């Protein structure tokens, strides 16, 4: 396995590609396997809540490509270069469909072995990856890195209790009704260091996302009506029907550790592995040492279940 030097310029390398999902054109970057005898195994990568491909996904894509996997990163609909109006909508149901569309796109590429498709999800993308893998026969194996899992108890812990969740859902539904009636979109910041009436409240998400906003690689804006979908979504039922091999990288210093353990416990497959590194949650987003080690663990898992790039 290899480590690679990752610059901070974003996803400016790789091949620019487009594919369709839900009637929208999604834009991605494809990183070819660095070595392969014949079509290579491939992985579609999805990132944290409100992400764009130039953030955490590119860090994993370049390293997985160096380790022999063709890797696809992409902007989900409503974000980045991809289509979808209004902008800056967070729709977890659409993200599951977008990830499945990304997997399907990979199967159409001549350099990819269509029988060896994996998905990788980071943070909120981890539950998306489990959802997609549970229901899509094209996806053979899944890795979830520091997954932010979703169920009623997890959302209450995340957002400050059941009453706070209910109030936020009511605001989201009101904003959605207004948008559907008038076309007007109500926005709040996606993150803020003090204000809790934002998409991702708290100092921790602000500390990571705001520098991306300052660099112009990510827009700090969140459509309030997103909450109508966001807070009616859960991932526990998807975990309970996931029969694909699962690598679950989540320790006690990651978000919602007890709920993560609950999710892992209900996955019915015996072919699953829970790694519990003593690593802070955000280190999995952009710490080169952590990402290099985690990518090598993912490489081992994918190779075990998909075969190496030298295996036809």
């Amino acid at each position: 396995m290899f480590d690679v030097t990752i610059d901070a310029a974003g996803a400016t390398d790789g091949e620019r590609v487009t594919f369709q999902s839900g009637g929208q054109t999604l834009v991605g970057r494809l990183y070819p396997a660095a070595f392969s005898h014949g079509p290579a195994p491939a992985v579609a990568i999805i990132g944290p809540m409100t992400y764009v491909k130039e953030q955490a996904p590119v860090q994993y894509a370049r390293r997985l490509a160096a380790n022999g996997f063709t890797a696809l990163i992409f902007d989900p609909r409503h974000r980045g270069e991809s289509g979808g109006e209004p902008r800056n909508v967070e729709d977890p149901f659409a993200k599951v469909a977008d990830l499945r569309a990304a997997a399907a796109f990979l199967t159409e590429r001549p350099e990819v072995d269509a029988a060896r498709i994996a998905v990788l999800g980071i943070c909120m993308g981890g539950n998306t990856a489990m959802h997609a893998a549970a229901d899509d026969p094209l996806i053979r194996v899944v890795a979830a890195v520091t997954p932010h899992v979703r169920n009623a108890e997890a959302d209450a812990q995340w957002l400050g209790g059941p009453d706070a969740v209910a109030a936020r859902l009511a605001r989201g539904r009101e904003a959605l009704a207004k948008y559907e009636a008038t076309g007007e979109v109500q926005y709040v910041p996606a993150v803020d260091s003090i204000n809790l009436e934002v998409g991702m409240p708290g100092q921790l998400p602000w500390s990571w996302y705001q520098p991306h906003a300052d660099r112009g690689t990510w827009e700090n804006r969140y459509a309030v009506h997103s909450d109508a979908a966001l807070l009616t979504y859960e991932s526990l039922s998807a975990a309970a029907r996931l029969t694909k091999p699962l690598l679950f990288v989540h320790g006690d210093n990651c978000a919602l550790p007890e709920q993560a353990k609950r999710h892992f416990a209900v996955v019915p497959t015996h072919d699953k592995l829970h790694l519990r590194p003593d690593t802070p949650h955000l280190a999995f987003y952009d710490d080169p040492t952590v990402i290099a080690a985690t990518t090598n663990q993912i490489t081992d898992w994918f190779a075990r279940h998909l075969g190496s790039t030298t295996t036809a």
Side-chain angles (χ1 to χ4, degrees):
M1 285 170 243
F2 305 93
D3 194 17
V4 292
T5 300
I6 307 295
D7 61 39
T12 56
D13 54 352
E15 177 188 353
R16 188 181 189 273
V17 296
T18 62
F19 56 96
Q20 297 295 306
S21 179
Q24 301 296 332
T25 298
L26 305 191
V27 177
R29 290 275 173 178
L30 189 69
Y31 295 80
F35 52 90
S36 177
H37 296 288
V43 53
I45 303 172
I46 190 162
M49 182 174 168
T50 76
Y51 86 97
V52 291
K53 61 186 179 301
E54 291 80 8
Q55 295 175 303
V58 72
Q59 305 287 336
Y60 288 85
R62 288 169 173 160
R63 290 179 169 90
L64 283 165
N67 283 355
F69 293 85
T70 293
L72 173 64
I73 59 175
F74 63 95
D75 292 324
R77 66 186 90 165
H78 306 290
R79 282 272 173 188
E81 295 183 90
S82 291
E85 294 292 339
R87 306 304 294 166
N88 304 301
V89 172
E90 184 70 15
D91 184 340
F93 300 99
K95 282 188 169 181
V96 173
D98 292 349
L99 184 57
R100 294 183 65 176
F105 169 78
L106 284 171
T107 67
E108 300 169 356
R109 297 286 299 196
E111 68 268 50
V112 168
D113 184 342
R116 295 193 288 166
I117 302 297
V119 291
L120 163 62
I122 305 150
C123 189
M124 199 74 82
N127 75 64
T128 309
M130 290 190 290
H131 244 293
D135 300 321
D136 195 326
L138 294 178
I139 298 169
R140 295 280 305 279
V141 59
V142 58
V145 174
T146 194
H148 181 148
V149 296
R150 300 291 309 284
N151 55 289
E153 292 87 350
D155 284 355
Q157 289 179 252
W158 172 33
L159 296 173
D163 291 345
V165 174
R168 181 162 163 167
L169 177 58
R171 288 194 298 271
R173 286 173 168 165
E174 182 180 353
L176 178 62
K178 183 176 183 179
Y179 168 68
E180 292 175 338
T182 68
E184 181 180 344
V185 183
Q186 180 182 349
Y187 287 105
V188 294
V191 294
D192 189 90
S193 60
I194 299 173
N195 181 14
L196 297 180
E197 301 297 323
V198 298
M200 297 174 286
Q203 177 74 23
L204 189 65
W206 177 85
S207 70
W208 186 76
Y209 282 93
Q210 187 57 46
H212 286 277
D214 293 340
R215 291 194 295 267
T217 56
W218 174 84
E219 186 175 11
N220 187 8
R221 197 165 66 142
Y222 182 85
V224 174
H225 75 254
S226 301
D227 287 345
L230 182 73
L231 298 178
T232 54
Y233 170 93
E234 54 80 32
S235 55
L236 191 61
S237 63
R241 64 178 187 272
L242 178 60
T243 59
K244 312 292 176 61
L246 169 66
L247 177 64
F248 199 83
V249 183
H250 195 293
D252 287 342
N253 285 328
C254 298
L256 307 172
E258 295 307 315
Q259 296 301 331
K261 293 172 187 175
R262 180 181 179 189
H263 273 64
F264 184 80
V266 304
V267 173
T269 180
H270 294 293
D271 196 358
K272 60 183 182 178
L273 176 62
H274 188 176
L275 300 178
R276 298 178 173 87
D278 186 22
T279 305
H281 186 96
L282 292 181
F284 290 99
Y285 288 27
D286 56 13
D287 184 312
T289 301
V290 171
I291 293 173
T294 305
T295 300
N296 287 343
Q297 292 166 331
I298 295 167
T299 297
D300 287 341
W301 185 253
F302 287 172
R304 184 188 308 178
H305 295 93
L306 300 178
S308 70
T309 57
T310 60
T311 302

